[in-house]
Amino acid sequence: MDIYKLIRRRLEDYKDIAQKKGYFVPRGVRLNMRDIFLSRWAPEKLMALSGRELLYKMFGSKEDDSLTYWLESKHTNEFYSVAFGSISGGSIDKFFLFKYSRVNGGWIGRKLSNLDLSENEKVGMPEDYAIILATLIRDAIVKGAEEVEKLSLGEMSYDELETNLALIHNKFVSAIPSEISPYFDIPYNIFHRAWVHKYFHLLYPEYISDFHAKKALWFIPVSLAHKSKEGSYQNDGVLKQIISNAGYDNFLDVEFLNRAYPIVYKYVRLSTSDENIRLHLDEFINKGIFEWKTDLPAAIKNIKAGTRIYVVEGDNLIAYGYAKEAFSEGSVEIDWLLKDIGKPIKIANRQSVVQFYSDRLIKYADELISVEKSVMEAIYSDTSSVAVSSPVVKLPDDVDSLYTRLRRKKQIILYGPPGTGKTYLAMKAARYIVAKENFGRKYEEDLNADVSQYIAMVTFHPSYSYDDFVEGIKVEITESGNVAYHVKEGIFKEVSKKAMGDKDNVYIFIIDEINRGDTARIFGELITLLEADKREKVNVKLPLSGEKFTVPSNLYIIGTMNTSDRSIAMVDAALRRRFAFLRMWPDYSVLNATIEGIHLGRFLEYINDRLKESMGAGAQDLLIGHSYLMVGGEPIKDIVQLRHVLQSDIIPLLEEYFRGDMKAVREVLGEYIVDDEGKLIGSDEELVISILDKIGYTEDSEEDEDDNSDGVETLPSKE
């Protein structure tokens, strides 16, 4: 099958994923935003600037509404910077010139890592020097844009563009006055800076791609089975060839990455020639858990979430997927896209574990290209003989994130302020995980009875004990009136024994409010047995029954902890080391509903923002969760319910936080919402008016969902 037909199908899949996740911005929207950008920052607009105005308009801060701000982070309804590729991350010195607070907002032209603040005479640049430098940079960039225009007119090739831009850079360097040199760290090539590349993309989106980092421009061609080149603009040429042959005429139409996974520009190849891989290959491929305990190679240690992983046996590719997490504590979880491929590829060297990144992507391109071709043929070619693995049951994103942590540590605690859905997520995760692992299905209500037999739940409290949890002495009066004593098994021991006798299935034990019990006393000697590497390998003799006991590896523990419970000590330190922790925050997005103009998510966010202002750093453990404004998994529907929630739940909770100080409660909610006695003021209409006065009005409307005749999506405002 034609390679470009395969690539077209891959890119369309990528676009579909990006649209579902909300990343992909349609071409029409981007072209409108581009027009707005050009009306402000086209080359002729830059050339019209001079002196101090040029300096601040090009390199000033957000308050100056500068070009660098537009390119990196401007996000309004009129212009969404990330729609044209991200250049965020790193430090502000990537822009050559910037204002630095540590030298009283003076201008800096050096890398932050090179600054010695004790040498004040070489740190803060005189503003007239900064103006000269800004002018030289502007002139060079505009000349570079003229070269890109020649490319667009067919007057030069991408290779010639790369060469000509390097010449312009050299002229720029030679034009810098000697007195400015001590204040300026000359870049290797100003045109290889991501923000300059992004500026050219906005000018010529048909010819300059929306990937702006050099490492990305090395990676993307290889990921599409093409050799990359050394220069960034040369790789724009490679990508232009790819999209043109695949039937696209503009980079604004294309999504280059699988947004189902984090973006990492690395591959790791694993070979069965290594004993660590060969001896555990079946488990590794089938379960997706890769363990490496000793003599850890750097390539394994450096695996991040999103790294592409492939396994070879001899010269044959046998599996391909993505790391779901960073490698840590001896293991990493892999989400396999393909298994049992068995297709020959070009092996560049015989190392058992190799990492490919940066310029290695060019050096070993033939191997990586053969891998990507095999993968695309396996997935998209109708005539391929490659065996594609059957679809895997996908967990919901929140459950999948929890399960990734849970599989490594075997136990996890969900912690956060009240109402953030900790117990809800624990139960949801238990059901979905059991349904997937034990029944090979997505959880649905018809499975509830079957799934429930693999799930147990307890709630800790101050009087809960080892006797309840592991084993204790039960006293009985016999028929003859005598007192009899016998050992009674606790719930955790019962579930552990059940799981040990059923190793083919997963069992989940939920401990709600885990920090409300004396965990050291409740767990006793079992604390040691919880560790993942001690399960089924270490036994203890229980003090009452004398039985040997171990915790089975197929039993997972999910705990919940309310961080607002300040009267209860934190979890025992020994137990804390053995649990993974996942913080739960209020989720305002699930409250995307309005009641008489009151946007529930915005209202809750307003309350929490006021809490943070009032309580400072400690407020993160005392925020109010979204579930307070939900009933049956849905946002509350009317003002009667809202009044009830405020009066019965939120006001008493705030009163507890502030130890009965109603003045503080009123400062959080608003003095026209609650009175000195903690009662809501006035009628429902007055309550609505008082709340809207604080958060603003959101119109409930069923009019046109998007007033776009061409079906183009609009972008939400982030300001």
Side-chain angles (χ1 to χ4, degrees), residues 261-262 304-306 322-326 332-335 400 404 436:
Y261 300 91
K304 306 295 182 187
Y322 291 79
K324 293 181 67 174
E325 56 188 341
V332 63
E333 186 173 359
I334 310 297
D335 190 354
D400 192 49
T404 295
K436 175 185 177 181

Side-chain angles (χ1 to χ4, degrees), residues 29-49:
V29 174
R30 286 201 263 190
L31 287 175
N32 289 338
M33 290 191 293
R34 174 177 174 266
D35 288 343
I36 292 170
F37 180 87
L38 294 180
S39 69
R40 178 80 176 268
W41 302 113
E44 60 270 20
K45 300 290 184 179
L46 293 183
M47 291 304 296
L49 301 173

Side-chain angles (χ1 to χ4, degrees), residues 439 448-455 498 507:
F439 298 94
N448 191 57
D450 295 322
V451 163
S452 296
Q453 62 183 312
Y454 299 97
I455 302 170
K498 187 178 179 182
Y507 286 75

Side-chain angles (χ1 to χ4, degrees), residues 184-202:
F184 184 60
D185 291 332
I186 296 173
Y188 171 74
N189 187 326
I190 63 171
F191 297 107
H192 285 178
R193 286 295 175 93
W195 70 273
V196 179
H197 188 274
K198 183 171 182 176
Y199 179 68
F200 289 165
H201 165 67
L202 277 154

Side-chain angles (χ1 to χ4, degrees), residues 414-425 512-513 560-565 583-591 604 608 620-631 633-634 645 649-650 653 657:
L414 311 179
Y415 72 107
T420 48
K422 299 177 291 296
T423 304
Y424 172 81
L425 178 57
D512 205 23
E513 304 282 3
T560 70
M561 186 175 79
N562 191 337
T563 56
S564 72
D565 195 351
R583 179 182 281 278
M584 304 283 287
W585 296 101
D587 185 357
Y588 306 116
S589 67
V590 300
L591 297 175
L604 183 62
N608 283 331
Q620 66 177 5
D621 291 333
L622 302 173
L623 301 178
I624 298 174
H626 49 274
S627 66
Y628 279 91
L629 296 176
M630 301 181 75
V631 175
E634 297 291 333
V645 168
D649 298 320
I650 292 179
L653 182 63
Y657 285 174

